[in-house]
Amino acid sequence: MHKIAHNLTQVLNRIQAAAIGCGRKAQAITLLAVSKTQSTAAIAEAYASGQRAFGENYLQEALEKIAELTPLAIEWHFLGPIQSNKTKPIAEHFSWVHSLERLSVAQRLNSARPASLAPLNVCIQVNADGEASKSGVNLAEVAALAEQIQQLPRLKLRGLMAIPNPADPAPAFAAVAALQYQLNQTHNLQLDTLSMGMSDDLDLAIAAGSTLVRVGTAIFGPRH
Ligand SMILES: *Cc1c(COP(=O)(O)O)cnc(C)c1O
C-alpha cells in the first residue's frame, strides 16, 4: 500500500547520492515522475507523498488523467511524439513539452498557447546517438532550431532532452551536456534544463549534468 511512497524516497535518495558523488547539489535536480499507463490512484499516491511534477506520453490517456486530477496542483509534462493536429490540447493542458523536434510543431504550440497561461516550457529532443531510426534532432541541427524557437513568444526554450541507447548512455549524456553548454556560450541562449536520465541510468545522467530526471518504473513499478 505504501509502496509508491517508499519507492519515491528511494529514488530521491539515489538522486541525492548521485549529486553528492559528483559535487552537485541535489536541489539542482528535479524529479519528474513518469506516470504513463499508471492509474490516477497511483499518481494521487505519489502526490500525497509530495511529488508534484508528472510526465505523460500518450495524449488521450493524459487528458483523461489531467481532467480527473484537476483538484491536485500537478505540473504536467508532455514527453511523447507530437502529432501536428494535436498541438492545441498539449498547449492548453501542459506546463512543459520535452519532445519538441520540429519548428512547425513549435509554431503551432506557440499559436495555441492560451494568453491566460505562462509561456509553455519546452525542451528540444536530441538524437544524441545519431541512429537514424531514433527520434530527436541531430546534434548538428539543434542550434538552428533553438534560435528559431527562441523567437516564439509563447514558448520558453528551457533546454535539451535525450533518451540515449540504454546499452551505453554515458557518451550521449556527455555530448548533449556539451552541446547545451556550447549553445549558452555562443548562441546567446540561457538554457537551464538538461532532461536526461531514467530509472536505470539517472545516476550517470546526473554525473553528466542532468537537471531533470524522468523516472517511471523505479517509482510506480512495471507499466501496465
Ligand atoms: C517512459 C519514459 C520514461 C521513464 O522510463 P523508466 O525507465 O520507466 O524510468 C522517461 N522518459 C521518457 C521519454 C519515457 O517515455
Side-chain angles (χ1 to χ4, degrees), residues 88 91-92 109-120 153-155:
K88 189 165 186 282
E92 288 174 346
L109 289 169
N110 180 67
S111 305
R113 183 64 170 175
S116 58
L117 299 178
L120 180 64
R154 302 299 296 144
L155 301 188

Side-chain angles (χ1 to χ4, degrees), residues 187-198:
H187 286 76
N188 199 25
L189 295 164
Q190 282 96 37
L191 308 181
D192 62 6
T193 302
L194 265 179
S195 171
M196 310 194 300
M198 319 203 295

Side-chain angles (χ1 to χ4, degrees), residues 31 36 62 127 141 187:
L31 172 59
K36 60 173 180 259
N127 178 2
E141 290 154 20
H187 286 76

Side-chain angles (χ1 to χ4, degrees), residues 151-165:
Q151 311 298 319
L152 300 173
R154 302 299 296 144
L155 301 188
K156 188 169 170 59
L157 182 61
R158 298 295 297 270
L160 307 180
M161 184 275 246
I163 313 174
N165 185 338

Side-chain angles (χ1 to χ4, degrees), residues 32 34-36 56-58 79-80 98-99 125 161-163 195 197-201 213-219 221 223:
L32 178 65
V34 180
S35 47
K36 60 173 180 259
E56 291 279 341
N57 292 55
Y58 311 111
L79 307 176
H98 292 242
S99 42
Q125 183 170 351
M161 184 275 246
I163 313 174
S195 171
M198 319 203 295
S199 292
D200 290 335
D201 56 18
V213 292
R214 309 176 312 268
V215 180
T217 318
I219 296 172
R223 279 185 274 281

Side-chain angles (χ1 to χ4, degrees), residues 128-129 131 134 163-174 201 204:
D129 299 311
E131 291 171 20
K134 286 185 68 174
I163 313 174
N165 185 338
D168 184 22
F173 287 150
D201 56 18
L204 282 172

Side-chain angles (χ1 to χ4, degrees), residues 4-216:
I4 289 174
H6 171 81
N7 289 348
L8 261 176
T9 305
Q10 301 270 78
V11 170
L12 290 169
N13 287 343
R14 265 177 76 191
I15 292 171
Q16 182 160 35
I20 290 170
C22 59
R24 300 182 59 203
K25 291 201 168 68
Q27 303 94 279
I29 298 143
T30 300
L31 172 59
L32 178 65
V34 180
S35 47
K36 60 173 180 259
T37 79
Q38 307 293 350
S39 67
T40 49
I43 295 172
E45 197 176 330
Y47 183 89
S49 304
Q51 180 64 30
R52 291 294 177 270
F54 290 84
E56 291 279 341
N57 292 55
Y58 311 111
L59 184 60
Q60 198 49 45
E61 175 193 341
L63 293 176
E64 287 167 20
K65 289 169 164 178
I66 292 170
E68 196 176 323
L69 295 169
T70 299
L72 305 188
I74 289 178
E75 180 183 88
W76 292 102
H77 294 231
F78 191 74
L79 307 176
I82 306 171
Q83 292 171 259
S84 295
N85 60 344
K86 300 288 168 59
T87 43
K88 189 165 186 282
I90 294 174
E92 288 174 346
H93 294 284
F94 289 83
S95 298
W96 283 74
V97 168
H98 292 242
S99 42
L100 198 51
E101 305 179 54
R102 294 207 311 272
L103 181 62
S104 60
V105 166
Q107 288 166 332
R108 294 179 72 104
L109 289 169
N110 180 67
S111 305
R113 183 64 170 175
S116 58
L117 299 178
L120 180 64
N121 297 293
V122 298
C123 292
I124 296 174
Q125 183 170 351
V126 180
N127 178 2
D129 299 311
E131 291 171 20
S133 60
K134 286 185 68 174
S135 42
V137 180
N138 291 331
L139 289 167
E141 290 154 20
V142 172
L145 180 59
E147 282 180 348
Q148 288 170 306
I149 292 174
Q150 181 82 347
Q151 311 298 319
L152 300 173
R154 302 299 296 144
L155 301 188
K156 188 169 170 59
L157 182 61
R158 298 295 297 270
L160 307 180
M161 184 275 246
I163 313 174
N165 185 338
D168 184 22
F173 287 150
V176 176
L179 174 59
Q180 176 135 308
Y181 180 82
Q182 187 209 329
L183 291 174
N184 282 337
Q185 297 304 309
T186 62
H187 286 76
N188 199 25
L189 295 164
Q190 282 96 37
L191 308 181
D192 62 6
T193 302
L194 265 179
S195 171
M196 310 194 300
M198 319 203 295
S199 292
D200 290 335
D201 56 18
L202 69 91
D203 324 78
L204 282 172
I206 288 169
S210 169
T211 68
L212 184 150
V213 292
R214 309 176 312 268
V215 180

